[in-house]
Amino acid sequence: MRGCARYLVCCLLLLSTLWPAQPVRARHAMVVSREGHATDAGVAILRAGGNAVDAAVAVGFALAVTHPQAGNIGGGGFMLIRFSDGRTTFLDFRERAPLAAAADMYLDATGKPTESSQFGYRASGVPGSVSGFELAHRRYGSLKWPRLLAPAIRLAREGFPVSYDLARSLRSSTALARDAESRRVFQRDGRFYEAGEVMRQPELAAALARIASVGSRDFYTGETARLLVKAQREHGGLITRDDLAGYQAVERTPLVGTYKSYRLITAPPPSSGGVGLLEMLGVLDGSGYEREGAGSAASIHFVAETMRRFYADRARYLGDPDFTHVPVAGLISERYTAGLRRLIDPERATPSDQVAAGRPEGNESDQTTHYSIVDANGNAVAVTYTLNGSYGSGVTVPGAGFLLNNEMDDFTVAPGVPNMFGLVQGEVNRIAPRKRPLSSMTPTIVLREGKFYSVLGSPGGSRIITTVLQVFLDMADFSMGLQDAVNWPRFHHQWKPDVLRMETGFSPDTIKLLRARGHEVETVGSIGEVSAIAREGEWLAGAADPRTAGKASGY
Ligand code: DON
């Protein structure tokens, strides 16, 4: 008996040393991104006296070199900033549809969707990243612009050792395999890179050097624009000189909401992410969903039912706010979310066919990457940007060495037809010239009792919003430390298809209980890749996601 007790004590001691999972800690500043060289570039900028926005621009350009799956100059995204004095802003550099785009451009003669919204030259929206980074720097940066591009140029020119993760990804990409220029740039003499081999990208280095010397002008009206438009013309793409010359990133007001003692600052439309996060938190607040604990069937069920209802609203109401009225205030209002809460049966899943979008007031009528930065002055930046699918359209601009996005697939290609992420979307997100496709990217900053608490975000297409939601809930409602919240298994429901997707790591008993409540459960590999920072007293904690080869580093 005594031996047994001793054994139990040993187990507990062992557990307490393994658990909670430890983040990286630093006193002053922190960068967390999906790739180590890019994180290091950001930390170097911070150490050189740059602020969090400078570092965000440098990390963005570096990822375009070292994480070509998603890091980009040929895509777009969002940057959320909270300055240490409490001001906030949101930079929207989402791609826009070319002028020649049309609602039915991806349907064949019989009205069926083709794959050209996902692969090849016609899949791309007008890229926004270079304009976005320049706007961020011009308004809020402090170091000189060329300094911010220097690490990326060096990584592209001198090369960097290909990681195991990148080597595996390059080898398995069907997008890259379809395009001769992509094969030339992302293979070495006709064979795949092995981990440890040095990858150089001289054309990309030259394009970045031009951007460093003349700014975004090169990308939108200069030599890089010329190369991009020439390639588009030769391969049946739609992007013209006018499209590029007419692109400009814009600044928007972030969305803000509260949950218990937390204040969340997050992404407004054309992202559906912030609306989703706040709508779902509104439903959960006061529901008592958390009573049976993290990972319990009861809590997963209630959260999944909440998710299901938001995604029905997403399809009905959310799109580019410059083209359509989006009833944001109605969707996140207490009255509306309380109404949704009452519709949830805590014992039984409601089939998605019986769930339609609600009636909020004020309604008149899948590769991405996220990084988080906090600087020594307490400024926080969250960037999620993307080519959409892994390596985007698969097309590399000849002579300029960068991949183009396939963001057009985020539009409703045909109502009722699922997109790359299985999302069934609505009329409100149909294609129109210069329109921005609806996004799920959810860069988010959380305050607790008025003070900076956390900055986080994730890739994952439609799963981004539910990933950010769960990491936040795990910290706020289940008292997990940052790294545990990031590590904890995740689940996802998006209304249609009517499937509850669950990562491995949930107990088989829990899954059985969820099935008994009427959920169709499917086990999936992984959901999201979070890069997050949280304040822990005098310290900053940085958490990369163990599902990836990300890196947190600070000083
Ligand atoms: O903006 C969006 O919602 C999508 N283009 C994001 C794509 C994505 O996260 C893919 N990553 N796994």
CSV table of all heavy atoms in Angstrom, one decimal, residues 70 78 94-95 271-272 314 366-369 384 386-390 406-407 410 420-421 423 437-441 458-462 464 529, ligand 1:
chain,number,residue,atom,x,y,z
A,70,ALA,N,3.1,30.4,-47.4
A,70,ALA,CA,2.1,31.4,-47.0
A,70,ALA,C,2.7,32.8,-47.0
A,70,ALA,O,2.0,33.8,-47.2
A,70,ALA,CB,1.5,31.0,-45.7
A,78,PHE,N,-4.0,41.1,-43.2
A,78,PHE,CA,-4.5,42.1,-42.2
A,78,PHE,C,-3.4,42.3,-41.2
A,78,PHE,O,-2.8,41.4,-40.7
A,78,PHE,CB,-5.7,41.7,-41.5
A,78,PHE,CG,-6.9,41.3,-42.4
A,78,PHE,CD1,-7.5,40.1,-42.3
A,78,PHE,CD2,-7.3,42.2,-43.4
A,78,PHE,CE1,-8.6,39.8,-43.1
A,78,PHE,CE2,-8.4,41.9,-44.2
A,78,PHE,CZ,-9.0,40.7,-44.1
A,94,ARG,N,-6.0,43.2,-48.0
A,94,ARG,CA,-6.6,42.1,-48.6
A,94,ARG,C,-6.6,42.2,-50.1
A,94,ARG,O,-6.8,43.3,-50.6
A,94,ARG,CB,-8.1,42.0,-48.1
A,94,ARG,CG,-8.9,40.8,-48.6
A,94,ARG,CD,-8.5,39.6,-48.0
A,94,ARG,NE,-9.6,38.5,-48.2
A,94,ARG,CZ,-9.3,37.2,-48.1
A,94,ARG,NH1,-8.1,36.8,-47.7
A,94,ARG,NH2,-10.3,36.4,-48.3
A,95,GLU,N,-6.4,41.1,-50.9
A,95,GLU,CA,-6.5,41.2,-52.3
A,95,GLU,C,-7.8,41.7,-52.8
A,95,GLU,O,-8.8,41.5,-52.1
A,95,GLU,CB,-6.2,39.8,-52.9
A,95,GLU,CG,-4.9,39.2,-52.6
A,95,GLU,CD,-4.9,38.4,-51.4
A,95,GLU,OE1,-5.7,38.6,-50.5
A,95,GLU,OE2,-4.1,37.4,-51.3
A,271,SER,N,-13.0,40.8,-43.1
A,271,SER,CA,-12.8,39.5,-42.4
A,271,SER,C,-14.1,39.2,-41.7
A,271,SER,O,-14.8,40.0,-41.2
A,271,SER,CB,-11.7,39.6,-41.3
A,271,SER,OG,-11.7,38.3,-40.7
A,272,SER,N,-14.4,37.9,-41.7
A,272,SER,CA,-15.6,37.4,-40.9
A,272,SER,C,-15.1,37.0,-39.5
A,272,SER,O,-15.9,36.7,-38.7
A,272,SER,CB,-16.2,36.2,-41.6
A,272,SER,OG,-15.3,35.2,-41.7
A,314,ARG,N,-22.6,33.7,-41.2
A,314,ARG,CA,-21.5,34.1,-42.0
A,314,ARG,C,-21.8,34.1,-43.5
A,314,ARG,O,-21.6,35.0,-44.3
A,314,ARG,CB,-20.2,33.2,-41.7
A,314,ARG,CG,-19.0,33.6,-42.5
A,314,ARG,CD,-17.9,32.5,-42.3
A,314,ARG,NE,-16.6,32.9,-42.8
A,314,ARG,CZ,-16.3,32.8,-44.1
A,314,ARG,NH1,-17.2,32.4,-45.0
A,314,ARG,NH2,-15.1,33.2,-44.5
A,366,ASP,N,-7.9,27.8,-47.4
A,366,ASP,CA,-7.0,27.0,-46.5
A,366,ASP,C,-5.6,27.2,-46.8
A,366,ASP,O,-5.6,27.0,-47.7
A,366,ASP,CB,-7.4,25.7,-46.5
A,366,ASP,CG,-7.9,25.0,-45.4
A,366,ASP,OD1,-8.2,25.5,-44.4
A,366,ASP,OD2,-8.0,24.0,-45.6
A,367,GLN,N,-3.3,28.1,-47.3
A,367,GLN,CA,-2.3,28.3,-46.3
A,367,GLN,C,-2.2,29.8,-46.0
A,367,GLN,O,-1.9,30.6,-46.9
A,367,GLN,CB,-0.9,27.7,-46.7
A,367,GLN,CG,0.1,27.7,-45.6
A,367,GLN,CD,0.0,26.7,-44.5
A,367,GLN,OE1,-0.7,25.7,-44.7
A,367,GLN,NE2,0.6,26.9,-43.4
A,368,THR,N,-2.1,30.0,-44.8
A,368,THR,CA,-2.0,31.3,-44.3
A,368,THR,C,-0.9,31.3,-43.2
A,368,THR,O,-0.5,30.2,-42.8
A,368,THR,CB,-3.4,31.7,-43.8
A,368,THR,OG1,-4.3,31.6,-44.9
A,368,THR,CG2,-3.4,33.1,-43.1
A,369,THR,N,-0.5,32.5,-42.8
A,369,THR,CA,0.4,32.4,-41.6
A,369,THR,C,0.1,33.6,-40.7
A,369,THR,O,-0.3,34.6,-41.2
A,369,THR,CB,1.8,32.3,-42.0
A,369,THR,OG1,2.6,32.0,-40.9
A,369,THR,CG2,2.3,33.6,-42.7
A,384,THR,N,-2.0,38.5,-39.8
A,384,THR,CA,-2.3,37.3,-40.5
A,384,THR,C,-2.3,37.6,-42.0
A,384,THR,O,-3.0,38.6,-42.4
A,384,THR,CB,-3.7,36.7,-40.1
A,384,THR,OG1,-3.8,36.8,-38.7
A,384,THR,CG2,-3.8,35.3,-40.6
A,386,THR,N,-1.6,35.9,-46.3
A,386,THR,CA,-1.8,34.6,-46.9
A,386,THR,C,-1.7,34.7,-48.4
A,386,THR,O,-1.9,35.7,-49.0
A,386,THR,CB,-3.3,34.1,-46.5
A,386,THR,OG1,-3.5,32.8,-47.0
A,386,THR,CG2,-4.3,35.1,-47.1
A,387,LEU,N,-1.5,33.5,-49.0
A,387,LEU,CA,-1.7,33.3,-50.4
A,387,LEU,C,-3.0,32.5,-50.6
A,387,LEU,O,-3.3,32.1,-51.7
A,387,LEU,CB,-0.5,32.5,-51.0
A,387,LEU,CG,0.9,33.2,-51.0
A,387,LEU,CD1,2.0,32.2,-51.2
A,387,LEU,CD2,0.9,34.2,-52.1
A,388,ASN,N,-3.7,32.2,-49.6
A,388,ASN,CA,-4.8,31.3,-49.5
A,388,ASN,C,-4.4,29.9,-49.4
A,388,ASN,O,-4.0,29.4,-48.3
A,388,ASN,CB,-5.9,31.6,-50.6
A,388,ASN,CG,-7.2,30.9,-50.2
A,388,ASN,OD1,-7.5,30.7,-49.1
A,388,ASN,ND2,-8.0,30.6,-51.2
A,389,GLY,N,-4.4,29.1,-50.4
A,389,GLY,CA,-4.0,27.7,-50.4
A,389,GLY,C,-2.5,27.7,-50.2
A,389,GLY,O,-1.8,28.7,-50.3
A,390,SER,N,-1.9,26.5,-49.8
A,390,SER,CA,-0.5,26.4,-49.6
A,390,SER,C,0.2,26.7,-51.0
A,390,SER,O,-0.2,26.0,-52.0
A,390,SER,CB,-0.2,24.9,-49.2
A,390,SER,OG,1.1,24.8,-48.7
A,406,ASN,N,-4.2,32.5,-54.6
A,406,ASN,CA,-5.4,32.0,-55.2
A,406,ASN,C,-6.6,32.4,-54.3
A,406,ASN,O,-7.5,31.6,-54.0
A,406,ASN,CB,-5.4,30.5,-55.4
A,406,ASN,CG,-5.2,29.7,-54.2
A,406,ASN,OD1,-4.8,30.2,-53.1
A,406,ASN,ND2,-5.4,28.4,-54.2
A,407,GLU,N,-6.6,33.7,-54.0
A,407,GLU,CA,-7.6,34.2,-53.0
A,407,GLU,C,-9.0,34.3,-53.6
A,407,GLU,O,-10.0,34.4,-52.9
A,407,GLU,CB,-7.1,35.6,-52.6
A,407,GLU,CG,-7.4,35.9,-51.1
A,407,GLU,CD,-6.4,35.1,-50.2
A,407,GLU,OE1,-5.2,35.3,-50.3
A,407,GLU,OE2,-6.9,34.3,-49.4
A,410,ASP,N,-11.8,32.4,-52.2
A,410,ASP,CA,-12.5,32.8,-51.0
A,410,ASP,C,-13.9,33.4,-51.3
A,410,ASP,O,-14.7,33.6,-50.4
A,410,ASP,CB,-11.7,33.7,-50.2
A,410,ASP,CG,-10.8,33.0,-49.2
A,410,ASP,OD1,-10.9,31.8,-49.1
A,410,ASP,OD2,-9.9,33.7,-48.6
A,420,MET,N,-12.7,25.7,-51.2
A,420,MET,CA,-11.5,24.9,-50.8
A,420,MET,C,-11.6,24.5,-49.3
A,420,MET,O,-11.1,23.4,-48.9
A,420,MET,CB,-10.3,25.8,-51.0
A,420,MET,CG,-9.0,25.2,-50.8
A,420,MET,SD,-7.7,26.4,-50.7
A,420,MET,CE,-7.9,27.2,-52.3
A,421,PHE,N,-12.3,25.3,-48.5
A,421,PHE,CA,-12.4,25.0,-47.1
A,421,PHE,C,-13.7,24.3,-46.7
A,421,PHE,O,-14.1,24.3,-45.6
A,421,PHE,CB,-12.1,26.2,-46.2
A,421,PHE,CG,-10.8,26.8,-46.5
A,421,PHE,CD1,-10.7,28.0,-47.2
A,421,PHE,CD2,-9.6,26.2,-46.1
A,421,PHE,CE1,-9.4,28.6,-47.5
A,421,PHE,CE2,-8.4,26.7,-46.4
A,421,PHE,CZ,-8.3,27.9,-47.1
A,423,LEU,N,-16.5,25.6,-47.2
A,423,LEU,CA,-17.4,26.6,-46.8
A,423,LEU,C,-18.5,26.8,-47.9
A,423,LEU,O,-18.2,27.0,-49.0
A,423,LEU,CB,-16.7,28.0,-46.6
A,423,LEU,CG,-16.0,28.3,-45.3
A,423,LEU,CD1,-15.2,29.6,-45.5
A,423,LEU,CD2,-17.0,28.3,-44.2
A,437,PRO,N,-12.6,39.4,-51.4
A,437,PRO,CA,-13.2,38.2,-51.0
A,437,PRO,C,-13.3,38.2,-49.4
A,437,PRO,O,-12.4,38.6,-48.7
A,437,PRO,CB,-12.3,37.1,-51.5
A,437,PRO,CG,-11.0,37.7,-51.8
A,437,PRO,CD,-11.3,39.2,-52.0
A,438,LEU,N,-14.4,37.6,-48.9
A,438,LEU,CA,-14.6,37.5,-47.5
A,438,LEU,C,-13.5,36.6,-46.9
A,438,LEU,O,-13.2,35.5,-47.4
A,438,LEU,CB,-15.9,36.9,-47.2
A,438,LEU,CG,-16.3,36.7,-45.7
A,438,LEU,CD1,-16.4,38.0,-45.0
A,438,LEU,CD2,-17.6,36.0,-45.6
A,439,SER,N,-12.9,37.0,-45.8
A,439,SER,CA,-11.8,36.3,-45.2
A,439,SER,C,-12.3,35.8,-43.8
A,439,SER,O,-13.2,36.2,-43.2
A,439,SER,CB,-10.6,37.3,-45.0
A,439,SER,OG,-9.6,36.6,-44.2
A,440,SER,N,-11.5,34.8,-43.3
A,440,SER,CA,-11.7,34.3,-41.9
A,440,SER,C,-10.6,34.7,-41.0
A,440,SER,O,-10.5,34.3,-39.8
A,440,SER,CB,-11.9,32.8,-41.9
A,440,SER,OG,-13.0,32.4,-42.7
A,441,MET,N,-9.6,35.4,-41.6
A,441,MET,CA,-8.4,35.7,-40.8
A,441,MET,C,-8.8,36.6,-39.6
A,441,MET,O,-9.5,37.6,-39.7
A,441,MET,CB,-7.4,36.4,-41.6
A,441,MET,CG,-6.8,35.4,-42.7
A,441,MET,SD,-5.5,36.1,-43.7
A,441,MET,CE,-6.3,37.3,-44.8
A,458,SER,N,-4.1,32.8,-36.1
A,458,SER,CA,-3.8,31.5,-36.7
A,458,SER,C,-4.1,31.5,-38.2
A,458,SER,O,-5.0,32.2,-38.6
A,458,SER,CB,-4.7,30.5,-36.0
A,458,SER,OG,-4.5,29.2,-36.6
A,459,PRO,N,-3.5,30.6,-39.0
A,459,PRO,CA,-4.0,30.2,-40.3
A,459,PRO,C,-5.1,29.1,-40.1
A,459,PRO,O,-5.4,28.7,-39.0
A,459,PRO,CB,-2.8,29.7,-41.0
A,459,PRO,CG,-2.0,29.1,-40.0
A,459,PRO,CD,-2.2,29.9,-38.7
A,460,GLY,N,-5.6,28.6,-41.2
A,460,GLY,CA,-6.5,27.5,-41.2
A,460,GLY,C,-7.8,27.7,-41.9
A,460,GLY,O,-8.8,26.9,-41.7
A,461,GLY,N,-7.9,28.7,-42.8
A,461,GLY,CA,-9.1,28.9,-43.5
A,461,GLY,C,-10.3,29.1,-42.6
A,461,GLY,O,-10.2,29.9,-41.6
A,462,SER,N,-11.3,28.4,-42.9
A,462,SER,CA,-12.6,28.6,-42.1
A,462,SER,C,-12.3,28.3,-40.6
A,462,SER,O,-13.1,28.7,-39.7
A,462,SER,CB,-13.7,27.7,-42.6
A,462,SER,OG,-13.2,26.4,-42.7
A,464,ILE,N,-9.9,29.2,-38.7
A,464,ILE,CA,-9.2,30.2,-38.0
A,464,ILE,C,-10.0,30.8,-36.9
A,464,ILE,O,-9.5,30.9,-35.7
A,464,ILE,CB,-8.8,31.4,-39.0
A,464,ILE,CG1,-7.8,30.9,-40.0
A,464,ILE,CG2,-8.2,32.6,-38.2
A,464,ILE,CD1,-7.5,32.0,-41.1
A,529,GLU,N,-2.7,26.9,-36.6
A,529,GLU,CA,-1.3,27.0,-36.2
A,529,GLU,C,-1.2,28.3,-35.5
A,529,GLU,O,-1.0,29.3,-36.1
A,529,GLU,CB,-0.4,27.0,-37.4
A,529,GLU,CG,-0.5,25.7,-38.3
A,529,GLU,CD,0.3,25.9,-39.5
A,529,GLU,OE1,0.9,26.9,-39.8
A,529,GLU,OE2,0.5,24.8,-40.2
B,1,DON,O1,-8.7,34.7,-45.8
B,1,DON,C1,-9.1,33.5,-45.6
B,1,DON,O2,-9.9,33.3,-44.8
B,1,DON,C2,-8.3,32.4,-46.2
B,1,DON,N1,-7.8,32.8,-47.5
B,1,DON,C3,-7.3,31.9,-45.3
B,1,DON,C4,-6.5,30.7,-45.9
B,1,DON,C5,-5.8,29.9,-44.8
B,1,DON,O3,-5.9,30.2,-43.7
B,1,DON,C6,-5.2,28.7,-45.3
B,1,DON,N2,-4.4,28.1,-44.3
B,1,DON,N3,-4.3,27.1,-43.8
